[in-house]
Amino acid sequence: MMRASFVWIILLTAASVYAQKPGCTLQVDAQTLEPNEAIDARLVCTNTEQPSLPQAPDSAGLDVSLRNRRPFVSSQSSWINGRTSQKTTYTYNLQITARKTGTHTLGPLSVEAGGTTYETNAVRIVVRPRRVTSVPRGDRFLFAEIDVDRTSL
């Protein structure tokens, strides 16, 4: 019994631990916008320590705002066929608002985590002129008078 427990402990400690390579990515919901249109984006850091607030370079034509000052944290562990894998993600939510037409490059965004600086890839966003001009909301109402015969129940 003691020998079997010892062998089991050795097997558990010898099982390989797999962790995805640390890094950060910038995920955007769309890459084509119209002026004053806003989209959501996410800065996802995987298997890093808790990252600092993201630092975005200035991008003429795009406004970037941070929606949460602390990242959302998610941890996942699995053990399949004796192989353990671990994944921890830190997610910042961003809002990107288009200001000027043209092709704009957003990024790279950088964060510092555990003494290491991580950068995302740059994302290209195209802001095209409006296709249809919208009318003021007040001009969309329709007033009608309906004349019906009165009936009784």
Side-chain angles (χ1 to χ4, degrees), residues 2-62:
M2 181 74 159
R3 185 173 183 192
S5 297
F6 181 71
V7 169
W8 181 247
I9 290 171
I10 297 254
L11 286 174
L12 283 177
T13 56
S16 63
V17 175
Y18 170 76
Q20 184 178 349
K21 183 180 174 185
C24 295
T25 59
L26 179 61
Q27 304 168 350
V28 295
D29 289 347
Q31 291 183 295
T32 304
L33 303 171
E34 292 180 357
N36 297 320
E37 185 178 3
I39 58 168
D40 292 326
R42 288 157 305 287
L43 172 66
V44 180
C45 296
T46 305
N47 289 338
T48 64
E49 292 183 23
Q50 181 165 340
S52 62
L53 287 174
Q55 301 300 314
D58 290 334
S59 175
L62 298 174

Side-chain angles (χ1 to χ4, degrees), residues 34 130-134:
E34 292 180 357
R130 278 197 191 278
R131 292 186 185 182
V132 177
T133 58
S134 62

Side-chain angles (χ1 to χ4, degrees), residues 112-129:
E112 187 173 320
T116 304
T117 301
Y118 296 96
E119 285 190 347
T120 67
N121 289 333
V123 175
R124 185 168 302 224
I125 296 179
V126 177
V127 181
R128 63 175 178 234

Side-chain angles (χ1 to χ4, degrees), residues 11-19 78-86:
L11 286 174
L12 283 177
T13 56
S16 63
V17 175
Y18 170 76
S78 64
W79 187 32
I80 301 171
N81 294 332
R83 188 173 185 176
T84 303
S85 65
Q86 298 174 343

Side-chain angles (χ1 to χ4, degrees), residues 149-153:
D149 291 331
R150 297 182 188 258
T151 59
S152 62
L153 295 177

